Amino acid sequence: MFDVLTDSFKSAINKVRFADDEKSLKKALDTLKKSLLKADVHHKVVKDLIRTIELETKQSGIGKESFLRSMKENLTQILTAPGNQGFVYASKPPTVALMCGLQGSGKTTTTVKLANHLKGKKKKVLVAACDLQRLAAVEQLKQLCTQNEIDLYFNDSEKNPVKIAKEALNKANEGLYDVLIVDTAGRLAIDEELMEELGDVKKTLDPDEVFYVADSLTGQDAVRSASTFNEQMNISGVILTKYDGDSKGGVALGIAKQIGIPLRFIGMGEKVGDIEPFLPDRIVNRLMGEGDLISLAEKTADVIDEKQAKKLTSKIKKGQFNFNDFLDQMESMKKLGNLKSLVGMIPGMSGMASKLGDMDLENNSEVGKIKAMISSMTKKEREMPDLLNNARKKRIAQGAGLSQMEVNRFLKQFKNAAKMAKKFSGKNGMKDLESMMAQQDRMQIPR
């Protein structure tokens, strides 16, 4: 999701790669300035950033290292605003989070994404349906919560959102929930009626968090509307949605600096797993193409059972990885959300991530073919891949509606993947993996 900015930063850094004079620094700063403005970063934020980087780089001695260090430190500072990062739990549960925003910002979907994210952290979460203005809002919540096994409180016979909020809080207390997330009504524009209703709900709940959900595709309008909401609602954080569709990406760089409120989460896709905490230092690493292995590890830990992972590792080491295991892993990967974003968290792999486009593990045609092939296998064939001779391959191809050439290609890829997994699961696995990543990094950013 940071492809354009990452490429721009690399281009700027490379301008001072071989030279240490002010001319090369000026070229780098000009490249950086144009890239940031083009990415829809506010002009005042860009002006301050460029000035600071120039002064610090000259003080430290013009060079690639000093330029890069100054970029990282100042970008981190821009992205960091006073307040919490990620999701912070109250000392006494339930932690109450009030969701607000304009209509069409993705507020209801984000409410479910956040609930699912916290559920993955082993928290007991209750969602409250208090958006009674949009006709489909409560029904949308019902469907999404049912699909993702999230508890929902609603009251179809009640027309007062304040009363529903109070009832939901009572249920959260009685049910010993860790978190209560309240979805409120949005409007096409900020108006007194909206603010009065939100104020009444806030007064009733006394929430620990007030999240403003902003649509990143609206650019600087998202910043302005967040600022207005903050003046009247005293928001504690911003959640930026639809970031996968924002090719510019500059809104994230300016929002914390401009309104003084931390950006807490980013939504990067339509799937329920497509949300992640916005942690400035980790985001800057990704902007620089250095990856974010900590976030990747946290994300996978939420959906992969530790016992199953150990069992799978044991099977891989013994060369017993089969098609049933392959299908299980594909299902787990779907829960992780946007594949492009995941690959971008691996150091040196940002270039590969951009080539993936918007690959969807659930609807991708190649994934569909693989599922069809495995479904055409017998139970014994799934458990013992070596059984697949030409006659069996032909039968599988016919059953899946594919050519035998396609089946052979998949089986070859499966064997190669199994061999690579076995290699990396050995004693020197991490060293081999790091070596591969370093090689990939050298291919992307010539030293």
Side-chain angles (χ1 to χ4, degrees):
M1 59 183 173
F2 298 109
D3 298 342
V4 175
L5 282 172
T6 298
D7 290 343
S8 300
F9 290 165
K10 287 178 182 177
S11 177
I13 293 165
N14 285 335
K15 290 286 190 299
V16 290
R17 185 172 151 210
F18 297 116
D20 60 358
D21 57 10
E22 292 197 19
K23 188 176 180 180
S24 68
L25 177 61
K26 187 178 184 304
K27 286 182 180 179
L29 292 170
D30 286 343
T31 300
L32 184 60
K33 180 181 178 180
K34 290 175 183 176
S35 300
L36 291 170
L37 289 173
K38 190 176 179 181
D40 205 19
V41 181
H42 195 272
H43 66 93
K44 288 184 179 178
V45 176
V46 175
K47 185 179 179 181
D48 290 344
L49 176 65
I50 297 299
R51 185 193 302 119
T52 304
I53 291 176
E54 181 178 12
L55 288 173
E56 290 183 356
T57 304
K58 287 180 177 179
Q59 287 174 357
S60 302
I62 298 172
K64 182 177 179 180
E65 188 177 331
S66 59
F67 182 73
L68 177 60
R69 182 173 62 250
S70 180
M71 269 186 70
K72 289 182 70 171
E73 289 176 354
N74 284 285
L75 282 170
T76 303
Q77 189 175 15
I78 285 174
L79 293 172
T80 305
N84 295 327
Q85 295 179 356
F87 194 91
V88 178
Y89 302 98
S91 56
K92 181 183 178 183
T95 303
V96 180
L98 185 65
M99 309 290 283
C100 60
L102 298 179
Q103 200 175 104
S105 62
K107 177 172 51 59
T108 298
T109 306
T110 300
T111 296
V112 177
K113 285 183 177 181
L114 181 59
N116 185 71
H117 171 78
L118 298 176
K119 181 185 165 192
K121 304 292 183 185
K122 313 303 179 190
K123 299 296 180 181
K124 188 178 180 183
V125 184
L126 177 65
V127 171
C130 292
D131 181 356
L132 308 183
Q133 298 294 327
R134 186 166 61 90
L135 293 176
V138 177
E139 187 58 37
Q140 183 185 4
L141 264 184
K142 288 179 183 178
Q143 292 180 9
L144 289 172
C145 286
T146 299
Q147 290 168 9
N148 297 285
E149 300 179 341
I150 295 168
D151 292 345
L152 173 68
Y153 181 82
F154 61 94
N155 186 345
D156 288 334
S157 62
E158 180 57 65
K159 302 302 178 185
N160 187 338
V162 177
K163 290 183 179 179
I164 294 176
K166 190 173 183 179
E167 292 167 1
L169 181 58
N170 290 335
K171 181 178 178 180
N173 281 310
E174 292 168 2
L176 301 178
Y177 283 88
D178 297 303
V179 180
L180 169 64
I181 305 178
V182 182
D183 183 32
T184 63
R187 295 287 193 280
L188 293 175
I190 299 171
D191 57 38
E192 290 184 15
E193 186 183 356
L194 167 64
M195 290 304 177
E196 187 176 339
E197 181 180 290
L198 282 173
D200 290 342
V201 173
K202 183 183 178 184
K203 187 176 180 180
T204 300
L205 292 174
D206 188 22
D208 302 285
E209 300 278 15
V210 179
F211 289 130
Y212 177 75
V213 181
D215 182 348
S216 67
L217 297 180
T218 60
Q220 287 299 316
D221 283 341
V223 181
R224 285 188 283 271
S225 58
S227 181
T228 302
F229 260 81
N230 183 46
E231 289 171 8
Q232 300 188 47
M233 289 293 293
N234 193 26
I235 61 178
S236 58
V238 175
I239 299 179
L240 209 53
T241 65
K242 307 175 188 177
Y243 205 69
D244 56 312
D246 182 11
S247 60
K248 295 180 178 180
V251 178
L253 290 187
I255 203 163
K257 181 79 171 179
Q258 288 171 255
I259 64 174
I261 300 297
L263 182 54
R264 304 286 287 277
F265 286 87
I266 284 188
M268 333 80 64
E270 297 179 1
K271 298 289 185 300
V272 73
D274 291 334
I275 189 171
E276 62 181 68
F278 189 91
L279 304 174
D281 54 340
R282 298 186 190 181
I283 293 297
V284 170
N285 283 340
R286 290 166 67 180
L287 282 168
M288 295 293 139
E290 296 175 3
D292 181 8
L293 287 176
I294 298 175
S295 292
L296 181 61
E298 290 175 351
K299 203 169 180 68
T300 53
D302 290 343
V303 300
I304 297 174
D305 182 82
E306 190 175 347
K307 289 183 180 179
Q308 289 181 333
K310 287 181 179 179
K311 184 179 178 182
L312 180 64
T313 302
S314 177
K315 292 185 75 173
I316 289 172
K317 286 180 179 178
K318 295 175 182 177
Q320 297 173 351
F321 186 73
N322 60 42
F323 294 111
N324 287 327
D325 300 319
F326 185 80
L327 276 181
D328 288 341
Q329 292 311 298
M330 284 181 64
E331 290 302 311
S332 294
M333 283 294 290
K334 276 163 54 177
K335 296 177 184 176
L336 288 171
N338 189 290
L339 183 62
K340 181 179 176 181
S341 176
L342 292 173
V343 174
M345 292 182 186
I346 302 172
M349 300 292 273
S350 58
M352 184 178 289
S354 62
K355 294 174 185 176
L356 285 174
D358 296 318
M359 182 175 177
D360 184 342
L361 283 177
E362 194 163 354
N363 301 313
N364 183 267
S365 60
E366 287 300 314
V367 174
K369 289 178 182 180
I370 291 170
K371 286 185 175 180
M373 278 185 262
I374 296 176
S375 297
S376 298
M377 297 177 187
T378 65
K379 182 181 178 181
K380 199 169 184 180
E381 287 169 346
R382 291 189 192 188
E383 294 172 352
M384 303 175 68
D386 291 338
L387 288 176
L388 298 180
N389 54 28
N390 282 332
R392 290 175 185 263
K393 292 175 187 176
K394 186 176 180 180
R395 191 203 77 247
I396 291 168
Q398 289 175 340
L402 302 168
S403 68
Q404 193 169 337
M405 187 182 295
E406 287 176 303
V407 173
N408 285 332
R409 186 172 69 245
F410 163 65
L411 293 176
K412 184 177 180 180
Q413 290 171 344
F414 175 82
K415 286 182 180 179
N416 288 338
K419 285 179 182 177
M420 187 176 289
K422 186 176 180 180
K423 179 182 179 182
F424 289 143
S425 67
K427 289 182 179 179
N428 297 319
M430 282 308 297
K431 288 183 179 179
D432 292 338
L433 184 59
E434 288 172 3
S435 176
M436 185 185 80
M437 295 304 178
Q439 184 178 7
Q440 176 70 24
D441 188 36
R442 285 193 294 273
M443 290 171 64
Q444 290 187 59
I445 311 176
R447 296 296 192 267

